[in-house]
Amino acid sequence: MLIERNVRRSELITIIIFGYLYLLKMPSPLNILLIEDDAIEVMKFNRVLASLNVNHKLIEAHNGEEALAVLKEKEIIPDIIILDLNMPRITGIEFLRILKADDYVKYIPAIVLTTSNYHKDVLECYKIGIAGYVVKPLKYEDYVDRIRRTLDYWSINEVISQ
């Protein structure tokens, strides 16, 4: 009886440990605000999201003005913001300045996803307070890998929920 109880206890502990480790590795779904004016880039991002095993919710804005309107509505506050720099109306850098000046949304991690690897842009974005800067690679497989890794990283981080 004592041995049987000990075996069952150790099996239970093993199950609990493996369950806990499984939960730690499972990414949490994110509310993602994607700010991108290029329809092909939006479709590419959506295709990557669909291939992942996590049900991230994507909110799309085609420029900085639309994104500011989404944030102002406060219906859905994103966990992260992914944005391009080269956009009409409000550039990505202008959007970031407005975002980081607003006490309500300034803590939302903003990740730049752009073709620009111009050092001045990278430096300016980090000075403003971005959480990351990802250059879009030319090969689709590399793009998928970068988006997956970025979302995996933010899925296991504690984000500030409003």
Side-chain angles (χ1 to χ4, degrees), residues 19-37:
Y20 181 71
L21 290 174
Y22 177 76
L23 289 174
L24 283 178
K25 290 182 181 180
M26 266 189 75
S28 301
L30 296 168
N31 289 324
I32 305 165
L33 174 57
L34 176 66
I35 311 169
E36 174 62 69
D37 63 312

Side-chain angles (χ1 to χ4, degrees), residues 12-139:
L12 181 60
I13 289 171
T14 303
I15 290 169
I16 290 170
I17 289 171
F18 280 120
Y20 181 71
L21 290 174
Y22 177 76
L23 289 174
L24 283 178
K25 290 182 181 180
M26 266 189 75
S28 301
L30 296 168
N31 289 324
I32 305 165
L33 174 57
L34 176 66
I35 311 169
E36 174 62 69
D37 63 312
D38 186 329
I40 292 171
E41 290 295 327
V42 173
M43 286 177 15
K44 190 164 65 169
F45 193 89
N46 272 305
R47 187 181 331 160
V48 173
L49 277 187
S51 72
L52 302 176
N53 292 329
V54 181
N55 293 324
H56 297 300
K57 179 173 175 50
L58 187 65
I59 307 140
E60 296 175 16
H62 298 101
N63 57 57
E65 285 181 356
E66 282 185 25
L68 291 172
V70 167
L71 293 170
K72 193 177 235 180
E73 287 174 10
K74 299 178 184 173
E75 185 175 315
I76 297 176
I77 300 298
D79 297 311
I80 62 170
I81 297 171
I82 298 178
L83 71 146
D84 190 14
L85 286 184
N86 306 311
M87 296 182 294
R89 299 185 187 173
I90 297 176
T91 68
I93 290 177
E94 291 169 331
F95 171 82
L96 288 168
R97 285 190 180 115
I98 294 167
L99 177 78
K100 296 304 179 182
D102 185 317
D103 285 337
Y104 187 70
V105 293
K106 70 181 178 184
Y107 298 108
I108 299 172
I111 299 105
V112 173
L113 178 64
T114 187
T115 56
S116 173
N117 62 357
Y118 184 51
H119 180 73
K120 185 179 176 188
D121 286 343
V122 176
L123 184 60
E124 184 63 27
C125 288
Y126 276 109
K127 282 182 181 177
I128 294 169
I130 63 165
Y133 195 102
V134 178
V135 177
K136 294 175 189 172
L138 296 175
K139 290 172 58 177

Side-chain angles (χ1 to χ4, degrees), residues 1-20:
M1 178 95 172
L2 182 60
I3 294 172
E4 189 176 311
R5 185 178 293 168
N6 286 341
V7 170
R8 286 185 182 159
R9 185 176 293 156
S10 67
E11 288 175 351
L12 181 60
I13 289 171
T14 303
I15 290 169
I16 290 170
I17 289 171
F18 280 120
Y20 181 71

